[in-house]
Amino acid sequence: MTEKKVTWLELFYDLLFVAAVSKASHVLLHVEDETLSIETLGKFVLIFIPIWWAWVGQTLFVNRFGQDSVSHRIFLIIQLFFVLIMTASLSVDFDDTYYSFLIGYIGLRAMTAVQYHYAHAKEQGHLRATARYFGTRFWIGLAISACSLFFDSWVRYAVLYAGIALDILLPLTGRKILLKTPTNTHHLLERFSLFALILLGESVVSILAVLQSSTWTPESVTFAALAFVLIIAMWWQYYDNLEKKVDKHVQTAGQTIIYGHLFIFLSLCTIAATIQLLFLNKLHYELMVNLFFGSVALYFASTTLVFHVYRHKQHRLGIFQLSLLAALLAGLYIVDRVFHVSNVLLMGEMALFFAVYAKVTT
């Protein structure tokens, strides 16, 4: 398979999307009475999914059909304008900015659908069939989501996400068609890993927020140092796997990468927010432990799945290794639920887990 390079415009495109993800992640920092409500967590997920899917839709088009041509640049630049509209609309009071958010999202997805029609006119064979499949069916989800304008309250969101859900399911229902035009695995992994790298930067920003929110005491410096170790271990585990263990020439529809990274990205955002919440003692202890361990468990499960599918067979983890990691995480969780440990110790435990995870998997 020929390697496909990520273009500078794609990287610029990512930066604007990361700004949207960052605003969505700040929803998790809105804590009232030491409680992060289910409603707030749900709002974060529901804001995050359209952002993720809009980015994925364009990424997949570029992966199969994209060329660094003038027309392609014009399409992406127009999309960047809609990204700005969508990003500016993100807030905790989502109802007040819903219409501008919908304009941004519909504009983004419509431009991707138009690009598929454009590709359909130029391509032949299986690529033409793939372009026709997406170019015709994406409009159905867009039409459903656009109808949310005619509703209020929870019905509005139900209609919006019904259209988004249909969009997300299309690659799965069209898997037989897509297997005839497999993704460029090298390019796809590079795109998703670059986005993950920028999201890791959100955790670094959280460390800076920790240091800036208090005087530099031994406790705050130790906490920040352990959080930094945790982030470095996450980086080490993810990118060493990517460079040394993964077969980038496998030809698939790329769906494990696509859908697995939804949960990787969600967990990265949640871990970044948890670093700040943990240091500032904004949550009840039990809720804090559940949130932190839940985020880490989600990251562990999703990265394990993605890398297992694409690893060279001789590098795949065995039952013993997976059981060891799961037992370590579960053991730390039980200890922390039985005994009230300090925030510094809790951060140290997570740094230890990720250090072991990196060692075992790389």
Side-chain angles (χ1 to χ4, degrees):
M1 181 184 293
T2 304
E3 289 189 4
K4 188 183 185 78
K5 291 182 63 177
V6 175
T7 66
W8 294 112
L9 186 55
E10 285 180 88
L11 295 176
F12 184 56
Y13 186 79
D14 287 358
L15 285 177
L16 269 68
F17 265 96
V18 169
V21 170
S22 180
K23 286 197 69 175
S25 299
H26 275 73
V27 171
L28 294 170
L29 300 179
H30 288 79
V31 175
E32 295 182 1
D33 299 324
E34 296 186 333
T35 299
L36 185 65
S37 66
I38 297 298
E39 180 183 355
T40 301
L41 281 172
K43 186 176 292 187
F44 160 67
V45 173
L46 291 177
I47 291 174
F48 186 92
I49 286 177
I51 298 170
W52 163 77
W53 186 243
W55 181 85
V56 166
Q58 182 60 28
T59 297
L60 287 176
F61 174 83
V62 173
N63 185 269
R64 286 191 173 94
F65 301 98
Q67 299 176 356
D68 193 16
S69 61
V70 173
S71 60
H72 174 68
R73 290 185 178 188
I74 291 172
F75 275 118
L76 273 184
I77 289 169
I78 294 172
Q79 286 194 18
L80 290 176
F81 175 71
F82 286 112
V83 175
L84 288 174
I85 294 175
M86 186 173 66
T87 304
S89 306
L90 300 176
S91 69
V92 178
D93 300 320
F94 197 36
D95 289 336
D96 296 335
T97 56
Y98 180 79
Y99 294 116
S100 56
F101 173 84
L102 187 65
I103 290 171
Y105 176 75
I106 294 293
L108 272 167
R109 298 295 294 133
M111 292 306 300
T112 300
V114 169
Q115 284 178 285
Y116 275 112
H117 285 291
Y118 188 71
H120 174 257
K122 295 172 59 179
E123 299 292 346
Q124 300 294 327
H126 294 309
L127 280 173
R128 182 181 176 89
T130 297
R132 181 173 62 248
Y133 176 78
F134 283 130
T136 55
R137 286 164 176 78
F138 275 152
W139 291 108
I140 301 172
L142 282 172
I144 293 172
S145 293
C147 288
S148 65
L149 287 170
F150 303 107
F151 300 94
D152 293 317
S153 67
W154 65 269
V155 180
R156 167 192 292 174
Y157 297 100
V159 174
L160 169 67
Y161 289 100
I164 294 173
L166 178 63
D167 255 10
I168 292 173
L169 290 173
L170 280 176
L172 297 174
T173 57
R175 183 174 174 81
K176 288 183 179 179
I177 297 174
L178 301 183
L179 285 173
K180 296 176 182 178
T181 54
T183 57
N184 186 303
T185 302
H186 184 278
H187 176 265
L188 197 65
L189 282 169
E190 188 174 9
R191 294 291 287 117
F192 278 86
S193 62
L194 286 170
F195 202 87
L197 184 64
I198 302 175
L199 290 182
L200 267 178
E202 288 294 306
S203 294
V204 176
V205 171
S206 292
I207 296 175
L208 293 175
V210 165
L211 291 174
Q212 292 172 353
S213 64
S214 67
T215 56
W216 285 31
T217 64
E219 182 181 8
S220 65
V221 172
T222 302
F223 182 93
L226 290 171
F228 185 68
V229 170
L230 180 150
I231 295 165
I232 293 298
M234 290 175 70
W235 169 85
W236 198 298
Q237 185 277 328
Y238 184 102
Y239 292 95
D240 257 27
N241 270 278
L242 190 67
E243 290 300 317
K244 300 177 182 179
K245 310 291 185 180
V246 170
D247 184 358
K248 299 178 183 178
H249 300 289
V250 176
Q251 295 194 18
T252 70
Q255 291 170 354
T256 302
I257 297 173
I258 297 163
Y259 298 107
H261 271 84
L262 168 62
F263 300 101
I264 293 174
F265 292 165
L266 283 170
S267 59
L268 284 172
C269 292
T270 311
I271 288 170
T274 303
I275 290 173
Q276 289 192 56
L277 294 173
L278 180 62
F279 178 77
L280 297 173
N281 282 312
K282 284 194 169 184
L283 294 176
H284 288 298
Y285 176 76
E286 289 187 358
L287 179 57
M288 187 73 255
V289 170
N290 289 338
L291 180 64
F292 207 178
F293 276 88
S295 303
V296 172
L298 180 62
Y299 180 87
F300 169 57
S302 51
T303 51
T304 297
L305 172 63
V306 170
F307 286 122
H308 179 78
V309 171
Y310 286 89
R311 274 174 172 252
H312 294 282
K313 288 186 178 180
Q314 67 271 25
H315 294 313
R316 290 179 178 173
L317 298 181
I319 296 297
F320 173 77
Q321 293 164 308
L322 291 172
S323 299
L324 173 67
L325 291 165
L328 175 60
L329 190 61
L332 292 173
Y333 175 72
I334 292 170
V335 169
D336 291 344
R337 286 301 303 266
V338 174
F339 303 100
H340 193 298
V341 303
S342 68
N343 292 347
V344 172
L345 182 56
L346 185 57
M347 181 58 67
E349 291 173 353
M350 291 298 97
L352 172 65
F353 171 78
F354 276 107
V356 174
Y357 188 27
K359 177 64 177 177
V360 170
T361 57
T362 62

